[in-house]
Amino acid sequence: MNSFVTNLPLARKFALIGVIAALMLALPALLVVRGNVDKLDAAHGQLAGIGPVNAAIGLMQVTQQHRGLSAVVLGGNAGSAGARQAKQAEVDQALAQLQASVRALPGAALPGAVDQMAAQWRALATAVAGQSVDVAQSFERHTALIDQQLDVLEDIRIVSGIVLVPDAGTYFLQNGVLGHLPKLTEFFGQARGMGAGLLARGEATPEQRAQIGALATQVRRSFNDARKSLELAVRDDAAKRTALGAAMSAALEAADSGLKVVDE
């Protein structure tokens, strides 16, 4: 082999060196390219999850509002029937938007879960409109439905890869905004829905007061979790701190004010 190389013309020796060098660089280059492609695919997946995430949060908000209005109407305030019916139409629209958006994500489980949730919503809306449920039953079924919506939101974060962002600051940001804050708003929503029913009746049993107190405890826990995640998200990133500082402060102040209302 040595004599073969020795007897090669100089041009072919350089060509052979080039071939060997190319072979040596091929595998690392392939790994680098594949790594960059994987990062690009992950970024595309996370971007594709933004629309479904927004749709899920929007659906949860209007469902919470419908729960509160249903409590008022079923509690005897017929004057809010029109507002409840209008809110039902908003839930229908938000649900249709979520159904359409999740079909763009990989896997068949998520669209099936949303379709099942849609069937439960239609049954609940019919029951509330026909007043075939009381305040407690409506509250319980709305709350179970919103729990499913929170599960769908979590599944979207997982399927799209949003939850797998590599840097710590962005991880804590998405965990605070898409994990803790939706749960915080739901505990507030439960307190609002339960309180609306109590105010419509003008009285509260000791058990109902205890339930409100338990909700206040859950609100405080979620509030602390959300605040910690958001503070960690901007702690080491001046750009994030500048961009998000005002919005974070407003959100946390609003939550703090809500806590005082629940207590009162």
Side-chain angles (χ1 to χ4, degrees):
M1 181 65 181
N2 289 339
S3 60
F4 170 75
V5 173
T6 302
N7 294 328
L8 283 174
L10 187 60
R12 291 189 178 182
K13 288 180 180 179
F14 279 112
L16 180 60
I17 292 172
V19 169
I20 294 172
L23 290 173
M24 292 174 63
L25 291 174
L27 181 58
L30 177 62
L31 293 175
V32 170
V33 170
R34 182 175 296 175
N36 288 331
V37 169
D38 288 344
K39 290 179 181 178
L40 189 60
D41 288 342
H44 280 308
Q46 291 160 3
L47 186 61
I50 297 300
V53 157
N54 286 335
I57 291 175
L59 174 61
M60 190 177 73
Q61 289 173 338
V62 290
T63 305
Q64 290 167 335
Q65 292 163 6
H66 185 269
R67 176 177 55 194
L69 286 168
S70 297
V72 172
V73 173
L74 294 173
N77 187 343
S80 298
R84 187 215 62 80
Q85 189 173 3
K87 191 60 64 176
Q88 177 181 330
E90 290 184 38
V91 177
D92 290 337
Q93 182 178 2
L95 185 55
Q97 183 179 353
L98 178 61
Q99 286 178 297
S101 65
V102 296
R103 299 195 190 286
L105 296 175
L110 201 51
V114 176
D115 290 343
Q116 182 180 6
M117 188 169 62
Q120 294 177 6
W121 156 249
R122 286 191 291 269
L124 174 58
T126 300
V128 172
Q131 297 198 0
S132 59
V133 291
D134 59 23
V135 174
Q137 291 167 337
S138 171
F139 181 86
E140 182 178 353
R141 289 174 64 175
H142 274 91
T143 301
L145 193 64
I146 294 167
D147 284 343
Q148 293 181 44
Q149 293 169 2
L150 284 168
D151 288 340
V152 166
L153 175 59
E154 178 69 10
D155 290 340
I156 293 171
R157 293 168 64 205
I158 293 171
V159 168
S160 65
I162 290 176
V163 74
L164 300 176
V165 289
D167 63 289
T170 307
Y171 169 78
F172 285 119
L173 179 62
Q174 65 83 29
N175 196 41
V177 171
L178 302 180
H180 295 307
L181 283 181
K183 292 177 182 178
L184 175 61
T185 63
E186 168 52 8
F187 290 136
F188 271 130
Q190 289 183 29
R192 179 179 60 208
M194 187 178 296
L198 299 180
L199 291 172
R201 291 194 302 274
E203 60 181 4
T205 65
E207 290 78 10
Q208 290 168 332
R209 291 177 181 272
Q211 286 180 308
I212 292 288
L215 279 174
T217 299
Q218 290 176 308
V219 165
R220 288 188 183 88
R221 184 177 298 116
S222 290
F223 173 75
N224 289 332
D225 289 341
R227 180 174 58 188
K228 183 175 182 180
S229 282
L230 294 176
E231 288 174 349
L232 287 170
V234 301
R235 183 184 62 184
D236 300 322
D237 192 325
K240 278 195 182 78
R241 194 158 52 246
T242 300
L244 302 175
M248 281 176 50
S249 296
L252 294 176
E253 286 175 11
D256 190 51
S257 297
L259 270 171
K260 294 176 182 176
V261 171
V262 173
D263 289 337
E264 292 169 2

